Amino acid sequence: MSVVGEKLQPTIFERGRPGRGGGKIPHPAPDALDRIPAAARRTVPAALPEMNEPDVVRHYVNLSQLNYAVDTGFYPLGSCTMKFNPKLNEWAARLPGFADLHPMAPDEVAQGTLQLLWELERALAEISGMRAVSLQPAAGAQGELTGILMIRAYHHARGETERDEVLVPDSSHGTNPATASMAGFKTITVPSAADGGVDIERFRAALGPRTAAVMITNPSTLGLFETRIGELLDAVHEAGALAYMDGANLNAILGRFKPGEAGFDVMHFNVHKTFSTPHGGGGPGAGPVGVGEALIPYLPAPRVLRDDDGTFRLERVGERPTSIGRLRSFVGNTGVLVRAYAYLRAHGGSGLREVSDDAVLAANYLKHRLAGSYDIPYDRPCKHEFVASAATIKKRTGVRTLDIAKRLIDYGFHPPTIYFPLIVDEGMLIEPTETESIETLDAFADALIAIAAETESSPELVTSAPHHAPVRRLDEAAAARQPNLRWRAMRGAETPCPD
């Protein structure tokens, strides 16, 4: 029980009763309907629920309390998605000068926002070792598409239209091959070597005159830094191709590795992850893109420019005809960018290095603690995340990684990413971030170790989990294939049996 009743309550449609709306909305004018064209009028009233204000508030507060949130508990899928967002950043994003600025305001009255965006671009360029940055893309996937579209424009401008292949390691994010396909390229998958890095011989064999680019996540989704990155990038450029870096794992290398200085030509930043604003649940994002010298002409328009008199403005239409154009309305998700700016200014250079150091330390600590209970596929230091596997547990007891993830809910933890990367059987991708205390890390490790023991002593306890969540295990396949996107009263065979 909670202060507002049972955790799982009827829907707001089921709780509504005619006449309970409270009458606080002013009555319409007598001729209100006459002002609406007859063809646009409803033939029957909208089937909206009617409830009094206290019941409405309690209903939505109860729904909010069903959610697991980064403000209430530990997310072991960390800075790839749910990194803690300092409240100072929320204060900054809500300052009236930023929050109330009309997106079509003239440059003269938007100088503060334009200056912040201009300074953020330069901070990201410094962090990445890139020459220029566009803040426009709305998320990492759109940042990827922006990068690949610029690469395509670069090759076409050189007359190399035969370059229609993009090399992607098998440990990449799934968005990488999807992005290449959306841009009209053919994806060539490059397998991993035994140590988790890219198989350099297979990589060289795949390079050729048709190669437009290679997309590499470094550190990879296995949590491993590509130690042969210099050799790989040299081979890419020798073949006349360009190198794209997926920056989703930038949290591991802040202040320690600059992709632009290493030889990457373009990368995206998930500023909604690396620099706060958690992205879970499809919330607002921002995926700026940084480029080297060769791709500057193709950056999305408009860019924020600083004139000789110190004022700031947006590029004018047609000012840079080589641009690939606009990828998003206005200049991007400004609220997210303000949060990122506040995060960067609060930490500074030394603070960002400490962020990565602590994230790497936390991941390696958890990896060491879990090594005796789960398989650790790659026996070398990880970065800010690592992969553990329940493959041996499954062979011995029949308990799967999915079961272990569901059982973690009973221990009060959100499960980590499971079954990804796909190249690890029964894998769990665990990413603690830099903000978690040693007590939280130990409690999480203790829970996973205890569950591993339960798979031996009481496997049915794990396979039937969760036991203490608001709902038990759902049919995820049916939910994906036959989603119920709107409420309606159940009838006949749809009605669940009472139990």
Side-chain angles (χ1 to χ4, degrees), residues 82-422:
M82 292 300 287
K83 179 171 173 173
F84 180 74
N85 178 31
K87 303 313 169 196
L88 174 67
N89 304 347
E90 292 299 317
W91 166 83
R94 290 175 180 145
L95 288 171
F98 298 127
D100 296 342
L101 180 68
H102 193 283
M104 297 186 70
D107 296 343
E108 292 78 9
V109 299
Q111 287 296 294
T113 295
L114 292 175
Q115 179 177 350
L116 180 148
L117 299 177
W118 187 84
E119 292 182 5
L120 178 58
E121 285 186 6
R122 274 138 194 82
L124 294 176
E126 172 63 25
I127 288 167
S128 63
M130 292 293 177
R131 290 295 307 279
V133 173
S134 168
L135 304 176
Q136 199 174 114
Q142 193 177 43
E144 288 180 27
L145 180 61
T146 303
I148 293 300
L149 289 177
M150 286 191 286
I151 288 173
R152 186 178 69 181
Y154 168 85
H155 287 306
H156 284 194
R158 294 162 60 89
E160 297 180 342
T161 56
E162 74 282 358
R163 293 188 179 273
D164 60 355
E165 295 178 351
V166 173
L167 307 188
V168 180
D170 61 2
S171 62
S172 69
H173 287 105
T175 49
N176 291 174
T179 292
S181 297
M182 286 180 64
F185 291 103
K186 177 183 178 181
T187 300
I188 306 297
T189 302
V190 181
S192 297
D195 65 354
V198 177
D199 186 321
I200 189 66
E201 298 306 322
R202 300 285 291 274
F203 181 83
R204 286 185 177 278
L207 279 172
R210 301 185 71 90
T211 306
V214 57
M215 302 181 75
I216 297 179
T217 306
N218 195 30
S220 72
T221 54
L222 297 170
L224 302 174
F225 190 85
E226 180 54 70
T227 58
R228 297 178 289 268
I229 194 64
E231 186 178 354
L232 291 171
L233 294 180
D234 286 343
V236 171
H237 293 136
E238 288 170 7
L242 298 182
Y244 178 95
M245 194 183 107
D246 185 318
N249 292 337
L250 185 64
N251 202 69
I253 55 176
L254 294 170
R256 300 296 180 185
F257 174 71
K258 293 188 176 184
E261 292 182 358
F264 281 99
D265 301 289
V266 55
M267 67 172 289
H268 82 265
F269 311 78
N270 295 94
V271 299
H272 55 257
K273 301 175 184 179
T274 308
F275 307 125
S276 74
T277 310
H279 196 42
V289 172
V291 298
E293 191 70 36
L295 293 179
I296 290 178
Y298 309 104
L299 279 168
R303 295 184 62 195
V304 179
L305 303 179
R306 183 178 185 178
D307 284 336
D308 293 339
D309 63 359
T311 60
F312 300 89
R313 66 177 178 87
L314 294 176
E315 276 183 319
R316 301 180 183 91
V317 176
E319 187 170 352
R320 187 164 42 90
T322 55
S323 168
I324 62 170
R326 183 182 285 278
L327 269 294
R328 194 194 182 283
S329 57
F330 309 113
V331 291
N333 276 332
T334 305
V336 177
L337 298 173
V338 172
R339 292 181 180 91
Y341 180 85
Y343 184 94
L344 290 173
R345 293 303 296 259
H347 283 80
S350 61
L352 292 178
R353 285 192 294 274
E354 186 177 355
V355 163
S356 286
D357 291 349
D358 289 347
V360 171
L361 177 63
N364 280 278
Y365 177 75
L366 279 182
K367 178 182 175 182
H368 176 76
R369 284 221 53 198
L370 297 179
S373 301
Y374 296 88
D375 303 326
I376 305 297
Y378 302 101
D379 187 23
R380 61 187 178 105
C382 63
K383 290 300 177 183
H384 68 317
E385 62 187 352
F386 68 99
V387 179
S389 169
T392 299
I393 289 176
K394 180 182 177 182
K395 290 178 183 177
R396 191 165 56 238
T397 67
V399 176
R400 301 171 298 158
T401 292
L402 176 65
D403 302 321
I404 293 169
K406 298 296 186 184
R407 181 61 175 150
L408 259 175
I409 297 173
D410 290 331
Y411 281 82
F413 290 106
H414 193 288
T417 302
I418 61 173
Y419 299 121
F420 181 79
L422 300 175

Side-chain angles (χ1 to χ4, degrees), residues 458-474:
S458 305
E460 68 285 347
L461 182 67
V462 183
T463 56
S464 57
H467 302 281
H468 307 302
V471 295
R472 300 294 296 274
R473 195 174 299 200
L474 304 177

Side-chain angles (χ1 to χ4, degrees), residues 474-485:
L474 304 177
D475 188 337
E476 297 181 21
R481 294 171 181 170
Q482 299 174 322
N484 184 0
L485 302 179

Side-chain angles (χ1 to χ4, degrees), residues 432-454:
T433 79
E434 69 283 353
T435 55
E436 300 301 335
S437 67
I438 186 69
E439 291 81 7
T440 298
L441 297 179
D442 278 333
F444 176 71
D446 289 343
L448 276 175
I449 292 169
I451 293 170
E454 289 174 350

